[in-house]
Amino acid sequence: METIERLSNPPLARRLGDAVHVSPLLRKICQMCGCPEDRVGEWLVKCAVGRGASHYERDFPEDLPPDDPELSDEELAVALCLGQHPYNSTFIRVAAQLLSSPRTNTPKLARLAVMERVEPVLLHIATVAARFAPEAQPWSYLLRHLPKRLACPQNALPHWSRFVSQTGVTSFAGGPDIKWLRRRELGQ
Amino acid sequence: MSHPLRILRALDRRLRLDLGLRRLAVFRPATIDLILTKMARADDDDLEDIQFLVRQEPLPQGRLETAFSRARVPDVPEIQELFNRARPIVLALAALDL
């Protein structure tokens, strides 16, 4: 049944209609942290939360290795968006908040995105950001500079409301107040 | 039904959670109301949640259809479209678990 298929969990690349790229970045990260491929996503989320993706704070298993400062923020975020992972909307949402910072090295991120074939994911986030935070970097830069390699199927990537915080719709105050989720910087 | 009456109905349906707290009463919305809220977006994550909910508390088709027709969907075209698109999917999910 279509409904059941929709709820299954193919690799992200397949959902997007792309070839599954075997990522050298992911291999490097697995070697770096010592996690097997089926746990590395959880480790990446833990590292991103520790670096400021605060909306996704949770308890992580105690046996996950600590963060490794050798891994740059840009590599960490791109690794979360890889098509090789089984689809997990949280990975993409965490990457979006982590990258939403003036500290992101935007040209480096764009280069890495092309190398690791995650341009469709970052362009999706950038398109949503353009609606709610049009000036926010790195998104406006990526919208202008990343190649539009692939037209993704509708609903293959997280809904816009997954990238923002918003108040409820009420009959008293009209529409909701919607805010783009930005990275919590050190000292905030 | 007016908006305040619908809120009162939803409050009547809420379920008390037994968290062992002496001075605090904690409630959650009824399963049917949780499903309605998730239908306002109904992405894959929401549908997984709905599937989990109907597994915990199987709901007859008639009850769901009545709830859909009575739901006060916000007057936002995108939400209305997503809600209406979710109706047959939620009915199919619920039918699997009856």
Side-chain angles (χ1 to χ4, degrees), chain B:
Chain B
M1 196 188 306
S2 70
H3 180 211
L5 264 180
R6 281 171 213 263
I7 292 175
L8 286 175
R9 281 273 171 87
L11 287 174
D12 284 345
R13 287 193 296 264
R14 69 191 172 159
L15 297 172
R16 186 164 185 171
L17 301 176
D18 183 10
L19 300 179
L21 303 170
R22 280 190 304 159
R23 294 168 190 258
L24 204 58
V26 181
F27 298 85
R28 72 160 174 87
T31 301
I32 188 76
D33 293 317
L34 284 171
I35 290 172
L36 292 174
T37 62
K38 290 195 166 286
M39 288 172 65
R41 177 173 51 205
D43 67 6
D44 284 3
D45 292 339
D46 292 315
L47 293 176
E48 270 188 49
D49 293 342
I50 291 172
Q51 190 170 36
F52 170 79
L53 289 167
V54 294
R55 278 196 181 138
Q56 301 302 306
E57 184 183 328
L59 293 165
Q61 304 274 302
R63 186 157 168 223
L64 281 167
E65 281 168 353
T66 304
F68 296 167
S69 62
R70 287 185 181 164
R72 183 175 175 272
V73 183
D75 193 18
V76 176
E78 184 186 1
I79 294 179
Q80 299 215 342
E81 187 191 332
L82 291 170
F83 184 88
N84 287 327
R85 200 189 299 162
R87 284 179 173 218
I89 301 172
V90 173
L91 289 174
L93 287 173
L96 287 174
D97 287 289
L98 277 181

XYZ file of all heavy atoms in Angstrom, chain B:
793
model
N -20.929 24.248 15.782
C -20.543 24.443 17.180
C -19.585 25.632 17.268
O -18.703 25.768 16.429
C -19.860 23.169 17.686
C -19.766 23.107 19.190
S -18.758 21.712 19.733
C -19.524 20.348 18.913
N -19.752 26.480 18.278
C -18.885 27.655 18.382
C -17.492 27.253 18.860
O -17.290 26.171 19.412
C -19.498 28.652 19.364
O -19.409 28.120 20.661
N -16.554 28.173 18.645
C -15.158 27.888 18.999
C -14.988 27.582 20.484
O -14.395 26.560 20.839
C -14.300 29.064 18.530
C -12.855 28.904 18.815
N -12.039 29.963 19.067
C -12.087 27.819 18.901
C -10.817 29.518 19.297
N -10.814 28.231 19.193
N -15.529 28.414 21.411
C -15.354 28.095 22.834
C -15.951 26.737 23.199
O -15.401 26.003 24.016
C -16.079 29.233 23.552
C -16.123 30.351 22.565
C -16.222 29.697 21.230
N -17.079 26.377 22.570
C -17.685 25.069 22.872
C -16.775 23.922 22.449
O -16.650 22.914 23.129
C -19.023 24.935 22.149
C -20.240 25.290 22.978
C -21.507 25.125 22.145
C -20.327 24.408 24.214
N -16.131 24.115 21.273
C -15.203 23.070 20.810
C -14.043 22.921 21.793
O -13.581 21.816 22.052
C -14.639 23.444 19.431
C -15.568 23.165 18.295
C -14.995 23.778 17.022
N -16.047 24.214 16.156
C -16.517 23.502 15.147
N -16.017 22.328 14.893
N -17.484 23.959 14.384
N -13.563 24.039 22.306
C -12.457 23.970 23.271
C -12.923 23.224 24.520
O -12.217 22.365 25.047
C -11.957 25.386 23.624
C -11.270 26.010 22.399
C -10.994 25.354 24.805
C -10.851 27.445 22.580
N -14.149 23.530 24.968
C -14.673 22.836 26.159
C -14.780 21.338 25.921
O -14.435 20.535 26.770
C -16.044 23.420 26.541
C -15.992 24.796 27.198
C -17.402 25.317 27.425
C -15.238 24.720 28.525
N -15.237 20.963 24.695
C -15.336 19.540 24.371
C -13.963 18.883 24.451
O -13.814 17.791 24.960
C -15.885 19.364 22.949
C -17.375 19.538 22.857
C -18.046 18.181 23.158
N -19.464 18.339 23.295
C -20.307 18.295 22.277
N -19.864 18.094 21.062
N -21.594 18.421 22.475
N -12.973 19.576 23.870
C -11.604 19.020 23.864
C -11.097 18.882 25.290
O -10.422 17.905 25.632
C -10.674 19.912 23.040
N -11.454 19.860 26.144
C -11.025 19.774 27.550
C -11.709 18.603 28.247
O -11.107 17.915 29.070
C -11.333 21.085 28.275
C -10.416 22.258 27.915
C -10.887 23.544 28.580
C -8.972 21.963 28.310
N -12.998 18.363 27.879
C -13.711 17.214 28.463
C -13.035 15.895 28.096
O -13.052 14.949 28.861
C -15.160 17.158 27.942
C -16.022 18.214 28.609
O -15.576 18.752 29.633
O -17.113 18.486 28.090
N -12.467 15.867 26.877
C -11.899 14.605 26.385
C -10.471 14.360 26.879
O -9.944 13.273 26.715
C -11.865 14.615 24.842
C -13.201 14.462 24.179
C -13.024 14.164 22.699
N -12.396 15.268 22.002
C -13.043 16.216 21.339
N -14.359 16.181 21.291
N -12.405 17.187 20.723
N -9.856 15.381 27.442
C -8.446 15.227 27.838
C -8.293 14.080 28.828
O -9.242 13.729 29.544
C -7.923 16.538 28.435
C -8.552 16.837 29.757
C -8.259 18.219 30.249
N -9.071 18.448 31.442
C -8.811 19.347 32.348
N -7.800 20.169 32.208
N -9.586 19.474 33.413
N -7.074 13.544 28.875
C -6.824 12.388 29.730
C -5.799 12.754 30.788
O -4.769 13.363 30.485
C -6.290 11.226 28.889
C -7.261 10.713 27.824
C -6.574 9.704 26.935
C -8.495 10.100 28.471
N -6.106 12.359 32.009
C -5.177 12.651 33.098
C -4.035 11.638 33.088
O -4.253 10.442 32.897
C -5.905 12.593 34.436
C -5.010 13.038 35.562
C -5.782 13.358 36.809
N -4.861 13.898 37.808
C -5.250 14.431 38.934
N -6.531 14.523 39.211
N -4.374 14.892 39.787
N -2.823 12.128 33.250
C -1.646 11.255 33.289
C -1.270 11.019 34.746
O -1.213 11.973 35.525
C -0.469 11.907 32.549
C -0.711 12.238 31.071
C 0.504 12.963 30.489
C -0.990 10.972 30.275
N -1.028 9.763 35.053
C -0.640 9.437 36.428
C 0.879 9.464 36.518
O 1.557 8.488 36.182
C -1.192 8.067 36.821
C -0.859 7.742 38.275
O -0.377 8.648 38.989
O -1.074 6.589 38.680
N 1.418 10.602 36.946
C 2.871 10.744 37.038
C 3.352 10.663 38.478
O 4.516 10.924 38.760
C 3.305 12.091 36.424
C 2.945 12.291 34.947
C 3.410 13.662 34.472
C 3.555 11.205 34.077
N 2.433 10.327 39.380
C 2.821 10.194 40.783
C 3.122 11.533 41.440
O 3.849 11.572 42.431
N 2.585 12.606 40.886
C 2.827 13.929 41.472
C 1.700 14.242 42.456
O 0.525 14.032 42.138
C 2.897 15.001 40.386
C 3.958 14.746 39.302
C 3.776 15.720 38.150
C 5.357 14.886 39.905
N 2.056 14.773 43.623
C 1.033 14.984 44.652
C 0.292 16.302 44.477
O -0.875 16.427 44.764
C 1.684 14.937 46.039
C 1.917 13.503 46.504
C 2.322 13.459 47.940
N 3.500 14.275 48.187
C 3.842 14.746 49.381
N 3.080 14.514 50.423
N 4.943 15.450 49.527
N 0.998 17.326 43.985
C 0.394 18.666 43.943
C 0.086 19.150 42.527
O -0.306 20.288 42.334
C 1.337 19.669 44.600
C 1.518 19.426 46.077
C 2.657 20.238 46.618
N 2.990 19.843 47.979
C 2.619 20.541 49.038
N 1.941 21.643 48.903
N 2.938 20.114 50.253
N 0.344 18.299 41.569
C 0.172 18.749 40.179
C -0.665 17.728 39.415
O -0.374 16.528 39.453
C 1.563 18.874 39.536
C 1.715 19.802 38.350
C 1.300 21.228 38.700
C 3.161 19.779 37.866
N -1.708 18.215 38.724
C -2.498 17.339 37.857
C -2.053 17.598 36.415
O -2.075 18.742 35.952
C -3.978 17.643 38.010
N -1.646 16.539 35.733
C -1.136 16.675 34.361
C -2.071 15.944 33.403
O -2.460 14.804 33.661
C 0.296 16.099 34.246
C 0.833 16.254 32.826
C 1.228 16.782 35.246
N -2.428 16.634 32.321
C -3.341 16.059 31.338
C -2.679 16.056 29.965
O -1.766 16.835 29.718
C -4.629 16.893 31.250
C -5.414 16.932 32.519
C -5.110 17.853 33.515
C -6.462 16.036 32.722
C -5.837 17.895 34.696
C -7.197 16.080 33.904
C -6.893 17.007 34.894
N -3.194 15.178 29.094
C -2.814 15.245 27.680
C -4.093 15.305 26.849
O -5.157 14.863 27.311
C -1.973 14.039 27.285
C -2.740 12.723 27.195
C -1.968 11.728 26.342
N -2.550 10.401 26.311
C -3.504 10.012 25.462
N -4.055 10.876 24.628
N -3.942 8.772 25.472
N -3.971 15.858 25.635
C -5.165 15.860 24.783
C -5.575 14.429 24.460
O -4.740 13.519 24.457
C -4.697 16.578 23.507
C -3.478 17.333 23.902
C -2.836 16.539 25.011
N -6.857 14.251 24.174
C -7.340 12.926 23.758
C -6.648 12.532 22.462
O -6.225 13.395 21.670
C -8.850 12.982 23.544
N -6.542 11.227 22.222
C -5.854 10.732 21.026
C -6.438 11.344 19.754
O -5.694 11.765 18.863
C -5.955 9.188 20.985
O -5.346 8.692 22.175
C -5.249 8.620 19.774
N -7.725 11.432 19.704
C -8.355 11.973 18.491
C -7.921 13.432 18.265
O -7.677 13.855 17.126
C -9.900 11.837 18.556
C -10.563 12.219 17.238
C -10.493 12.670 19.663
C -10.434 11.174 16.187
N -7.777 14.186 19.334
C -7.346 15.593 19.186
C -5.871 15.689 18.800
O -5.480 16.573 18.027
C -7.621 16.357 20.487
C -9.113 16.496 20.746
O -9.847 16.790 19.778
O -9.550 16.297 21.888
N -5.055 14.770 19.337
C -3.641 14.746 18.918
C -3.541 14.455 17.416
O -2.756 15.073 16.700
C -2.880 13.674 19.701
C -2.534 14.007 21.150
C -1.974 12.765 21.859
C -1.519 15.131 21.216
N -4.365 13.522 16.966
C -4.344 13.179 15.534
C -4.728 14.392 14.694
O -4.080 14.708 13.690
C -5.286 11.981 15.259
C -4.678 10.716 15.875
C -5.530 11.798 13.768
C -5.593 9.505 15.845
N -5.765 15.101 15.122
C -6.204 16.282 14.358
C -5.094 17.323 14.270
O -4.877 17.930 13.225
C -7.458 16.889 14.989
C -8.733 16.043 14.899
C -9.859 16.710 15.689
C -9.168 15.833 13.457
N -4.362 17.527 15.370
C -3.292 18.538 15.324
C -2.193 18.094 14.355
O -1.636 18.912 13.637
C -2.664 18.786 16.710
O -2.074 17.575 17.178
C -3.669 19.278 17.719
N -1.916 16.816 14.338
C -0.849 16.332 13.461
C -1.267 16.383 11.992
O -0.425 16.457 11.104
C -0.413 14.926 13.864
C 0.320 14.966 15.192
C 1.091 13.770 15.535
C 2.038 14.083 16.687
N 3.181 14.909 16.271
N -2.558 16.368 11.737
C -3.040 16.447 10.349
C -2.870 17.837 9.754
O -3.016 18.022 8.550
C -4.509 16.022 10.284
C -4.690 14.527 10.487
S -6.431 14.078 10.637
C -7.064 14.494 9.018
N -2.544 18.813 10.575
C -2.345 20.166 10.049
C -1.042 20.280 9.258
O -0.829 21.265 8.556
C -2.341 21.181 11.191
N -0.193 19.270 9.370
C 1.034 19.243 8.548
C 1.123 17.895 7.834
O 1.359 17.851 6.646
C 2.265 19.484 9.413
C 3.572 19.408 8.651
C 4.730 19.833 9.536
N 4.697 19.109 10.801
C 5.239 19.552 11.946
N 5.886 20.684 11.970
N 5.161 18.848 13.055
N 0.957 16.827 8.613
C 0.889 15.464 8.051
C 2.089 15.114 7.176
O 1.921 14.540 6.105
C -0.417 15.274 7.294
N 3.273 15.462 7.628
C 4.446 14.965 6.910
C 4.733 13.540 7.381
O 3.973 12.968 8.184
C 5.653 15.906 7.065
C 6.204 15.966 8.486
O 5.744 15.197 9.355
O 7.099 16.794 8.736
N 5.806 12.955 6.873
C 6.060 11.542 7.199
C 6.198 11.312 8.696
O 5.753 10.283 9.221
C 7.331 11.054 6.483
C 7.086 10.800 5.009
O 5.958 11.048 4.544
O 8.019 10.350 4.328
N 6.838 12.261 9.387
C 7.000 12.105 10.837
C 5.644 12.148 11.543
O 5.381 11.375 12.466
C 7.913 13.199 11.399
C 9.351 13.035 10.911
O 9.711 11.923 10.494
O 10.095 14.022 10.923
N 4.787 13.080 11.108
C 3.447 13.164 11.708
C 2.658 11.880 11.442
O 1.949 11.381 12.323
C 2.678 14.361 11.133
C 3.273 15.683 11.560
O 3.594 15.837 12.748
O 3.426 16.569 10.700
N 2.775 11.356 10.216
C 2.024 10.139 9.888
C 2.521 8.948 10.704
O 1.725 8.097 11.114
C 2.106 9.849 8.385
C 1.395 10.874 7.491
C 1.618 10.546 6.022
C -0.102 10.934 7.790
N 3.826 8.912 10.938
C 4.349 7.846 11.816
C 3.757 7.985 13.216
O 3.398 6.997 13.860
C 5.869 7.948 11.919
C 6.595 7.155 10.852
C 8.091 7.110 11.106
O 8.492 6.807 12.237
O 8.834 7.416 10.170
N 3.685 9.234 13.694
C 3.091 9.464 15.018
C 1.632 9.036 15.040
O 1.160 8.422 16.004
C 3.191 10.949 15.400
C 4.631 11.391 15.625
O 5.501 10.525 15.826
O 4.884 12.614 15.590
N 0.914 9.376 13.974
C -0.508 9.012 13.911
C -0.659 7.492 13.893
O -1.529 6.927 14.568
C -1.184 9.667 12.684
C -1.268 11.195 12.886
C -2.572 9.088 12.446
C -1.727 11.970 11.669
N 0.223 6.836 13.135
C 0.158 5.374 13.103
C 0.381 4.799 14.505
O -0.309 3.871 14.925
C 1.221 4.833 12.143
C 1.067 3.355 11.876
C 1.955 2.887 10.741
O 3.070 3.361 10.584
N 1.456 1.972 9.943
N 1.339 5.370 15.217
C 1.596 4.929 16.596
C 0.341 5.153 17.450
O -0.070 4.271 18.225
C 2.782 5.707 17.170
C 2.980 5.510 18.648
C 3.605 4.364 19.126
C 2.529 6.446 19.565
C 3.785 4.164 20.493
C 2.704 6.263 20.929
C 3.330 5.116 21.396
N -0.274 6.323 17.300
C -1.442 6.652 18.130
C -2.605 5.698 17.874
O -3.255 5.233 18.821
C -1.880 8.101 17.867
C -0.940 9.186 18.408
C -1.294 10.556 17.818
C -1.004 9.239 19.933
N -2.862 5.394 16.600
C -4.010 4.512 16.328
C -3.705 3.064 16.707
O -4.620 2.266 16.906
C -4.523 4.610 14.871
C -5.103 5.985 14.600
C -3.445 4.265 13.868
N -2.422 2.738 16.796
C -2.079 1.400 17.311
C -2.363 1.328 18.809
O -2.791 0.305 19.320
C -0.604 1.097 17.071
C -0.366 0.611 15.681
C 0.981 -0.057 15.544
N 1.132 -0.467 14.165
C 2.254 -0.339 13.476
N 3.322 0.168 14.018
N 2.302 -0.739 12.231
N -2.083 2.425 19.509
C -2.332 2.446 20.944
C -3.824 2.467 21.248
O -4.273 1.882 22.220
C -1.704 3.706 21.587
C -0.205 3.839 21.395
C 0.557 2.651 21.935
O 0.401 2.273 23.086
N 1.364 2.024 21.086
N -4.565 3.190 20.387
C -6.003 3.340 20.648
C -6.751 3.263 19.323
O -6.971 4.295 18.679
C -6.268 4.701 21.331
C -7.713 4.894 21.732
C -7.952 6.276 22.322
O -7.028 6.829 22.960
O -9.051 6.806 22.112
N -7.106 2.060 18.898
C -7.811 1.929 17.616
C -9.089 2.784 17.593
O -9.824 2.830 18.583
C -8.136 0.440 17.542
C -7.100 -0.214 18.403
C -6.845 0.755 19.520
N -9.297 3.479 16.472
C -10.453 4.373 16.371
C -11.296 3.974 15.170
O -10.755 3.808 14.072
C -9.967 5.820 16.187
C -9.239 6.426 17.388
C -8.483 7.690 16.993
C -10.230 6.744 18.490
N -12.616 3.829 15.350
C -13.469 3.474 14.220
C -13.497 4.593 13.172
O -13.359 5.775 13.512
C -14.851 3.285 14.843
C -14.701 3.452 16.306
C -13.339 3.978 16.598
N -13.672 4.183 11.917
C -13.688 5.141 10.801
C -14.728 6.246 11.031
O -14.463 7.414 10.778
C -14.030 4.407 9.495
C -13.117 3.247 9.176
C -11.871 3.681 8.433
O -11.965 4.262 7.374
N -10.723 3.396 8.996
N -15.912 5.828 11.520
C -16.983 6.805 11.697
C -16.588 7.904 12.677
O -16.887 9.083 12.461
N -15.884 7.509 13.724
C -15.482 8.498 14.739
C -14.450 9.465 14.146
O -14.487 10.675 14.403
C -14.911 7.766 15.953
C -14.614 8.719 17.067
C -14.577 8.084 18.415
N -14.009 9.075 19.326
C -13.117 8.795 20.244
N -12.691 7.558 20.408
N -12.653 9.742 21.025
N -13.557 8.899 13.340
C -12.549 9.765 12.716
C -13.216 10.732 11.735
O -12.912 11.929 11.726
C -11.528 8.902 11.962
C -10.456 8.222 12.823
C -9.718 7.165 12.028
C -9.466 9.246 13.372
N -14.133 10.201 10.922
C -14.771 11.060 9.920
C -15.573 12.169 10.600
O -15.582 13.317 10.132
C -15.651 10.223 8.988
C -14.801 9.521 7.933
C -15.540 8.454 7.153
O -16.685 8.138 7.504
O -14.936 7.923 6.213
N -16.229 11.834 11.696
C -16.968 12.865 12.427
C -16.007 13.931 12.956
O -16.261 15.132 12.845
C -17.731 12.230 13.611
O -18.572 11.213 13.100
C -18.553 13.257 14.366
N -14.876 13.465 13.495
C -13.898 14.416 14.028
C -13.339 15.303 12.914
O -13.162 16.521 13.092
C -12.763 13.666 14.721
N -13.079 14.713 11.743
C -12.568 15.518 10.617
C -13.562 16.606 10.246
O -13.191 17.750 9.980
C -12.331 14.649 9.370
C -11.274 13.582 9.517
C -11.164 12.568 8.576
C -10.377 13.597 10.579
C -10.193 11.580 8.696
C -9.398 12.617 10.712
C -9.316 11.601 9.763
N -14.834 16.218 10.204
C -15.831 17.194 9.737
C -16.083 18.284 10.773
O -16.467 19.395 10.423
C -17.136 16.482 9.366
O -17.654 15.865 10.512
N -15.850 17.951 12.048
C -16.110 18.951 13.101
C -14.869 19.779 13.436
O -14.958 20.775 14.144
C -16.575 18.261 14.378
C -17.989 17.740 14.266
C -18.431 17.190 15.602
N -19.773 16.655 15.527
C -20.289 15.848 16.435
N -19.585 15.481 17.476
N -21.526 15.401 16.304
N -13.712 19.339 12.954
C -12.459 20.007 13.348
C -12.460 21.463 12.889
O -12.944 21.781 11.794
C -11.279 19.287 12.725
N -11.932 22.306 13.745
C -11.809 23.720 13.378
C -10.409 23.923 12.800
O -9.458 24.188 13.518
C -12.024 24.606 14.600
C -11.989 26.079 14.275
C -12.320 26.911 15.482
N -12.166 28.316 15.166
C -11.026 28.975 15.287
N -9.954 28.356 15.702
N -10.965 30.259 14.981
N -10.320 23.768 11.493
C -9.025 23.894 10.818
C -8.742 25.384 10.614
O -9.603 26.108 10.119
C -9.053 23.157 9.455
C -7.686 23.229 8.789
C -9.474 21.713 9.660
N -7.554 25.862 11.020
C -7.263 27.294 10.867
C -7.473 27.766 9.425
O -7.242 27.001 8.482
C -5.775 27.381 11.253
C -5.534 26.217 12.141
C -6.448 25.132 11.643
N -7.879 28.994 9.309
C -8.218 29.541 8.001
C -6.939 29.942 7.253
O -6.756 31.089 6.879
C -9.154 30.747 8.196
C -9.789 31.157 6.882
O -9.777 30.332 5.949
O -10.259 32.298 6.798
N -6.060 28.975 7.086
C -4.802 29.193 6.359
C -4.818 28.181 5.210
O -4.900 26.972 5.465
C -3.578 28.930 7.280
C -2.280 29.068 6.517
C -3.629 29.845 8.496
N -4.796 28.656 3.949
C -4.983 27.721 2.824
C -4.039 26.529 2.873
O -4.452 25.391 2.605
C -4.712 28.598 1.596
C -5.037 29.988 2.044
C -4.688 30.046 3.504
N -2.782 26.748 3.222
C -1.825 25.641 3.232
C -2.245 24.575 4.251
O -2.200 23.374 3.972
C -0.429 26.162 3.562
C 0.610 25.044 3.480
C 1.993 25.465 3.947
O 2.163 26.623 4.358
O 2.882 24.610 3.906
N -2.646 25.028 5.439
C -3.038 24.067 6.485
C -4.291 23.308 6.055
O -4.396 22.092 6.227
C -3.243 24.787 7.833
C -1.903 25.347 8.333
C -3.836 23.847 8.872
C -1.996 26.108 9.643
N -5.248 24.035 5.446
C -6.483 23.377 5.011
C -6.191 22.309 3.957
O -6.742 21.209 3.990
C -7.452 24.415 4.469
C -7.816 25.432 5.537
C -9.245 25.905 5.445
O -9.874 25.753 4.429
N -9.746 26.489 6.516
N -5.268 22.645 3.034
C -4.930 21.692 1.977
C -4.257 20.448 2.578
O -4.595 19.309 2.222
C -3.993 22.367 0.974
C -3.723 21.523 -0.255
C -2.589 22.086 -1.094
O -2.369 23.303 -1.069
O -1.907 21.270 -1.749
N -3.306 20.684 3.490
C -2.599 19.551 4.096
C -3.559 18.690 4.913
O -3.493 17.456 4.892
C -1.448 20.058 4.972
C -0.283 20.688 4.207
C 0.686 21.373 5.173
C 0.455 19.640 3.389
N -4.459 19.352 5.629
C -5.422 18.619 6.457
C -6.302 17.734 5.578
O -6.515 16.554 5.866
C -6.269 19.619 7.253
C -7.218 18.969 8.213
C -6.816 18.657 9.505
C -8.513 18.658 7.840
C -7.682 18.047 10.399
C -9.392 18.051 8.723
C -8.975 17.753 10.005
N -6.806 18.313 4.486
C -7.701 17.543 3.610
C -6.956 16.408 2.913
O -7.508 15.321 2.711
C -8.360 18.467 2.587
C -9.411 19.331 3.259
O -10.059 18.896 4.215
N -9.562 20.564 2.793
N -5.687 16.663 2.554
C -4.895 15.619 1.912
C -4.640 14.460 2.893
O -4.520 13.310 2.496
C -3.558 16.207 1.437
C -2.900 15.361 0.362
C -1.501 15.841 0.069
N -1.457 17.204 -0.418
C -0.356 17.951 -0.410
N 0.775 17.476 0.058
N -0.381 19.185 -0.886
N -4.560 14.787 4.176
C -4.248 13.762 5.176
C -5.444 12.863 5.491
O -5.263 11.732 5.956
C -3.766 14.433 6.463
N -6.657 13.353 5.235
C -7.853 12.584 5.642
C -7.827 11.132 5.181
O -7.926 10.215 6.003
C -9.108 13.258 5.102
C -9.515 14.496 5.860
C -10.752 15.063 5.206
N -11.314 16.164 5.946
C -12.618 16.380 6.094
N -13.483 15.548 5.557
N -13.043 17.413 6.770
N -7.704 10.864 3.853
C -7.748 9.447 3.428
C -6.558 8.649 3.950
O -6.690 7.436 4.202
C -7.731 9.535 1.890
C -7.212 10.890 1.567
C -7.585 11.776 2.710
N -5.422 9.309 4.122
C -4.234 8.582 4.598
C -4.454 8.140 6.041
O -4.167 7.002 6.413
C -2.967 9.462 4.492
C -2.750 9.881 3.033
C -1.742 8.732 5.018
C -1.652 10.910 2.834
N -5.016 9.039 6.859
C -5.258 8.700 8.266
C -6.315 7.600 8.368
O -6.179 6.663 9.164
C -5.669 9.963 9.062
C -6.084 9.591 10.483
C -4.535 10.967 9.078
N -7.341 7.685 7.533
C -8.371 6.624 7.550
C -7.751 5.280 7.189
O -8.066 4.252 7.805
C -9.500 6.965 6.576
C -10.418 8.124 7.002
C -11.399 8.463 5.881
C -11.176 7.779 8.283
N -6.836 5.279 6.200
C -6.182 4.021 5.805
C -5.304 3.492 6.943
O -5.297 2.291 7.213
C -5.346 4.249 4.547
N -4.591 4.391 7.602
C -3.751 3.957 8.725
C -4.601 3.359 9.843
O -4.246 2.331 10.423
C -2.951 5.149 9.276
C -1.798 5.661 8.423
C -1.218 6.945 9.040
C -0.714 4.615 8.315
N -5.717 4.014 10.120
C -6.587 3.536 11.205
C -7.200 2.183 10.836
O -7.344 1.308 11.688
C -7.675 4.559 11.491
N -7.534 2.001 9.554
C -8.156 0.739 9.123
C -7.187 -0.423 9.295
O -7.596 -1.549 9.575
C -8.594 0.849 7.661
N -5.895 -0.156 9.146
C -4.896 -1.220 9.299
C -4.874 -1.758 10.718
O -4.494 -2.898 10.953
C -3.497 -0.677 8.974
C -3.193 -0.399 7.517
C -1.839 0.275 7.396
C -3.211 -1.693 6.729
N -5.236 -0.921 11.651
C -5.090 -1.322 13.055
C -6.398 -1.672 13.726
O -6.459 -1.780 14.946
C -4.348 -0.210 13.817
C -2.883 -0.207 13.439
O -2.180 -1.136 13.838
O -2.469 0.694 12.693
N -7.459 -1.772 12.940
C -8.746 -2.160 13.542
C -8.865 -3.680 13.614
O -8.360 -4.382 12.765
C -9.894 -1.574 12.719
C -10.255 -0.137 13.044
C -11.419 0.321 12.183
C -10.609 0.047 14.531
